[in-house]
Amino acid sequence: MKKKVVLAYSGGLDTSVIIKWLAQRDYEIIAYCADVGQGDDFDLVKKKAIKTGAKKVYVGNLQKEFVEDVCFKALKANALYEDKYPLATAMTRPIIAKGMVEVAHKEGAKYIAHGCTGKGNDQVRLEVTARCLDSKLDIIAPVREWELTTRESEIDYAKKHGIPVEVTKKKIYSIDRSLWGISIEGGKLEDPQVEPPQDIYQMTKSIDKTPNKPEYIEIAFDKGIPVAIGGKKYSPIELVKKLHKIGGDHGIGRIDMIEDRLVGIKSREIYEAPAATILIEAHKALEYLTLDRASLKFKAQVAIDYARLIYDGLWYTPLKHALDAFIDKTQEKVTGIVRVKLYKGHATVVGRKSENSLYKEELATYSEGDKFDQSLSKGFIELFGLPYRDSMKNEKRKK
Ligand code: ARG
């Protein structure tokens, strides 16, 4: 009997070649195509999988789960890897792996295969998640072990086996898209000195093409979750798409960074994530209004670790779940409306309000109605400064 394997299949060259490669090694291939909002034509992808030699194809409709249970959790955390990357690719891999494990169980498959390289993060994310969910499944990563080490040898192999090869821009750059954003790497971008060519961008306009007038939007949050724009309610998927569109039109959400991969190398990455950029700014602004300062400080530290857990593919792990409990507790008060100005690549918060606001005008004002008792400050400062009194007296001070 043939060995059954569930293969993460995109319809691209690598995973198509993998179908043939596995078939030659006597595997029965079940292709798993994950829909995380990358906008592929899945009927076409399905047909291609079967034509190339897959026995069966599953399409995992993960869009809703991805936005609601994954992206919005990252938003509540304000998760940005190395201060910049909204994790659009990183967040998809755990739920893709979960979908594959489910199909493997349903089909009685003992193997899971993917087309990730041995130099990237995605292999780690897929495999660690599969291990977390079922450590008995064996993993096959052909790209890490096969003889097709150059693009040319892969194309030759594809041609020999009747796999159609398209040479498009997608092939010059490695592009990965999800509902949360786009990741672009490779080609000229591998030189960190080189400015990204305009034509790599797919969701965002360059600044010289954006409107010369700012646009204002009001985003309503309910317990940390964005629910409406300009008073109109949107489903999570529609809300994210809408912000991609408006933000992209203003050139918002382009990110150019050098990033540290889990496997130890630095890489040049370009991202487009208009919705994530706007939402995280707006969400943070509402937290500044509604959370006390100790919670804000602690939560900002949690955000760094939370982003790293996502980046490292540790979504289905105990610490991640424990941090979710903390984050959800903080979000109970994060309800309100944030006004954001979109203009020339920037999303700037210009107003915020909340029924849970901790801002007290009678304490902050410099005008009529001030209730702050300034006489208390004298004693407060005495005690606050007490531990440091004279502590620098005999130090030589630099001018
Ligand atoms: N460096 C990013 C990450 O690790 C993007 C990876 C892009 N993946 C890809 N298959 N093109 O999350």
Side-chain angles (χ1 to χ4, degrees):
M1 220 176 73
K2 286 192 175 183
K3 297 169 282 184
K4 270 195 190 181
V5 56
V6 179
L7 166 69
Y9 183 70
S10 69
L13 180 65
D14 288 339
T15 51
S16 297
V17 169
I18 289 173
I19 291 186
K20 288 285 179 212
W21 191 88
L22 287 169
Q24 284 183 328
R25 281 154 187 77
D26 225 24
Y27 285 95
E28 176 182 317
I29 298 114
I30 299 156
Y32 181 80
C33 317
D35 182 359
V36 288
Q38 67 270 50
D40 285 345
D41 177 343
F42 286 99
D43 284 337
L44 228 88
V45 176
K46 265 166 110 169
K47 277 195 196 120
K48 188 165 179 191
I50 296 290
K51 209 173 147 227
T52 314
K55 186 84 188 290
K56 232 178 174 179
V57 191
Y58 282 82
V59 175
N61 298 313
L62 306 178
Q63 285 200 35
K64 189 164 183 292
E65 181 185 353
F66 178 58
V67 175
E68 292 177 12
D69 299 346
V70 183
C71 300
F72 281 2
K73 279 208 172 91
L75 171 62
K76 288 194 272 186
N78 302 316
L80 292 173
Y81 180 68
E82 293 190 331
D83 231 14
K84 283 172 148 343
Y85 168 35
L87 299 154
T89 295
M91 288 195 291
T92 62
R93 295 324 190 240
I95 61 162
I96 293 174
K98 178 158 84 64
M100 293 173 76
V101 169
E102 283 162 10
V103 169
H105 288 166
K106 196 165 156 205
E107 292 285 337
K110 297 267 180 298
Y111 301 87
I112 276 189
H114 62 72
C116 307
T117 81
K119 295 172 72 170
N121 299 311
D122 290 332
Q123 52 171 350
V124 184
R125 296 165 182 152
L126 287 173
E127 294 182 30
V128 167
T129 302
R131 290 261 180 276
C132 290
L133 300 175
D134 182 355
S135 66
K136 291 214 169 58
L137 292 167
D138 270 333
I139 287 151
I140 311 171
V143 176
R144 283 201 302 243
E145 52 175 278
W146 68 18
E147 56 292 353
L148 308 174
T149 47
T150 61
R151 192 108 204 124
E152 292 71 31
S153 60
E154 216 182 314
I155 290 173
D156 284 347
Y157 181 98
K159 284 187 176 150
K160 212 165 87 196
H161 292 89
I163 301 166
V165 180
E166 314 136 52
V167 183
T168 62
K169 189 162 69 204
K170 240 184 146 162
K171 305 293 172 273
I172 303 171
Y173 301 102
S174 165
I175 298 179
D176 183 77
R177 184 172 188 145
S178 79
L179 262 177
W180 205 232
I182 304 179
S183 308
I184 310 159
E185 38 179 49
K188 284 184 210 154
L189 303 171
E190 283 178 1
D191 181 349
Q193 277 267 71
V194 166
E195 181 177 353
Q198 287 303 324
D199 67 355
I200 63 166
Y201 294 107
Q202 305 173 34
M203 286 178 118
T204 52
K205 286 192 181 155
S206 66
I207 297 304
D208 52 309
K209 303 240 161 52
T210 61
N212 290 321
K213 264 176 54 189
E215 182 172 349
Y216 291 85
I217 54 168
E218 286 195 342
I219 305 173
F221 288 84
D222 180 20
K223 297 193 169 63
I225 300 288
V227 290
I229 303 170
K232 187 169 178 274
K233 283 209 182 317
Y234 288 89
S235 73
I237 293 176
E238 290 313 316
L239 185 134
V240 168
K241 283 186 177 165
K242 171 101 185 155
L243 288 179
H244 278 324
K245 174 78 184 80
I246 325 180
D249 282 347
H250 287 277
I252 290 162
R254 288 187 176 184
I255 299 150
D256 174 350
M257 68 188 284
I258 299 294
E259 149 189 320
D260 287 279
R261 285 195 193 159
L262 184 49
V263 293
I265 47 183
K266 285 192 186 289
S267 64
R268 167 50 154 348
E269 305 284 336
I270 304 297
Y271 299 111
E272 287 183 283
T277 305
I278 297 169
L279 284 171
I280 290 175
E281 272 308 299
H283 178 257
K284 273 190 188 166
L286 198 55
E287 288 192 332
Y288 275 109
L289 187 68
T290 55
L291 301 188
D292 64 279
R293 92 175 148 185
S295 298
L296 280 170
K297 177 167 174 278
F298 189 70
K299 190 167 177 292
Q301 290 162 354
V302 167
I304 297 171
D305 284 341
Y306 195 89
R308 183 166 289 277
L309 284 173
I310 297 176
Y311 191 82
D312 293 352
L314 301 174
W315 187 262
Y316 297 105
T317 59
L319 176 60
K320 153 74 179 44
H321 285 99
L323 294 182
D324 277 331
F326 163 73
I327 292 164
D328 280 342
K329 183 72 195 159
T330 64
Q331 297 304 291
E332 286 172 2
K333 296 275 186 264
V334 187
T335 295
I337 292 175
V338 183
R339 195 152 187 262
V340 188
K341 176 178 173 178
L342 310 175
Y343 185 57
K344 296 288 174 202
H346 296 281
T348 314
V349 171
V350 292
R352 67 291 273 159
K353 68 175 174 198
S354 168
E355 63 207 36
N356 305 319
S357 171
L358 298 177
Y359 177 85
K360 304 256 185 313
E361 195 162 356
E362 69 269 26
L363 294 182
T365 185
Y366 287 105
S367 312
E368 209 61 44
D370 182 7
K371 295 224 175 76
F372 188 94
D373 183 351
Q374 299 197 27
S375 69
L376 294 175
S377 290
K378 185 174 183 317
F380 166 74
I381 295 164
E382 281 298 326
L383 296 185
F384 176 72
L386 192 56
Y388 317 107
R389 207 180 264 197
D390 289 330
S391 60
M392 298 296 276
K393 198 170 172 185
N394 299 321
E395 298 258 333
K396 280 215 177 73
R397 250 161 289 143
K398 285 205 190 97
K399 258 214 257 159

